[in-house]
Amino acid sequence: MHQALVGSSNTGHFIQKPTKMVPQFLFSFSLILSFLLYCPPTLAQSPAAAPGPPGPANVTKILEKGGQFSVFTRLLKATREDVTLNGQLNNTNNAITIFAPSDSAFSSLKPGTLNSLNDQEKAELVQFHIIPQYLSSSQFQTVSNPLTTQAGSGGRLELNVTTAGNSVNITTGLTNTSVSGTIYTDNQLAVYQVDKVLLPVDIFTPKPPPPAPAPEKTKKGSKSAESPDTSVDNSGAVTFKCS
């Protein structure tokens, strides 16, 4: 409220008369309140956490992404070798190379080949395609034969690799094939495509019979089975001794 002086020229007296004024402080308060309601203060956001290191490669997912390894993937799962492989790859000290047969490679087998195998033989067949070391394409030229597989090494489980230029050939004694492509590779896992199933001699040829037992040796000092009262001469006649 503001008071103004009002005077009269006739009387010479001045009278204070209240006048109205826009309350500017109320306008300012309303403006501030509106700002607080519609423009809330922005809180400082913590920076997003940096992504952690990538996990180990999953063998079955890699093969499924490849699109033509369904039979080999089923064998890995049925024999639980996929669990073994993924467990090994969780340890950075382990490295793996896999020769993965394509579906067409399994189709070229004689009908009923896989069904004729027992569970142990199926596991051995899968393990025969797995090398417990990382082999890049260039390392095939210097690797020592025979290669050690997850199933074993040498003898009836022999697996040899030779190179000719950029070609990598694999022989098992029953199978002769070559690496036809690279499916996946990093510094720990390498997966290569092969167009034939690697057949180990240990499974697909008859096992040799066990050796015959050695004859028993005659004990020293054993007496003749003949009667002490008889003797045999060279003519075959038996002579009786009379006491």
Side-chain angles (χ1 to χ4, degrees), residues 7-145:
S8 174
S9 59
N10 296 326
T11 60
H13 297 284
F14 293 90
I15 303 172
Q16 291 184 344
K17 183 178 180 181
T19 61
K20 293 183 180 180
M21 179 179 179
V22 178
Q24 294 183 356
F25 72 96
L26 290 178
F27 175 78
S28 300
F29 177 77
S30 299
L31 184 63
I32 295 172
L33 183 60
S34 299
F35 177 81
L36 292 175
L37 289 175
Y38 293 100
C39 300
T42 302
L43 299 177
Q45 296 181 352
S46 58
N58 186 294
V59 174
T60 54
K61 288 184 178 179
I62 291 172
L63 293 173
E64 289 169 353
K65 187 176 181 180
Q68 52 180 331
F69 305 96
S70 59
V71 178
F72 189 60
T73 301
R74 287 200 303 267
L75 278 174
L76 281 168
K77 293 179 178 180
T79 58
R80 303 288 292 171
E81 289 300 320
D82 62 326
V83 177
T84 301
L85 284 173
N86 291 331
Q88 291 173 330
L89 292 172
N90 272 322
N91 186 337
T92 56
N93 294 325
N94 295 328
I96 298 291
T97 298
I98 300 175
F99 297 118
S102 61
D103 291 338
S104 60
F106 283 98
S107 298
S108 65
L109 293 175
K110 294 180 180 180
T113 297
L114 292 181
N115 292 334
S116 67
L117 304 179
N118 58 39
D119 291 343
Q120 181 179 353
E121 290 171 334
K122 289 178 181 178
E124 184 177 313
L125 177 62
V126 172
Q127 293 167 355
F128 192 62
H129 291 74
I130 302 170
I131 313 299
Q133 61 176 312
Y134 174 79
L135 293 174
S136 65
S137 57
S138 61
Q139 288 175 313
F140 285 122
Q141 300 176 1
T142 58
V143 71
S144 298
N145 287 312

Side-chain angles (χ1 to χ4, degrees), residues 101-102 105 108 129 175-178 194-198:
S102 61
S108 65
H129 291 74
T175 305
N176 186 9
T177 188
S178 60
V194 291
D195 292 330
K196 288 185 179 180
V197 180
L198 306 180

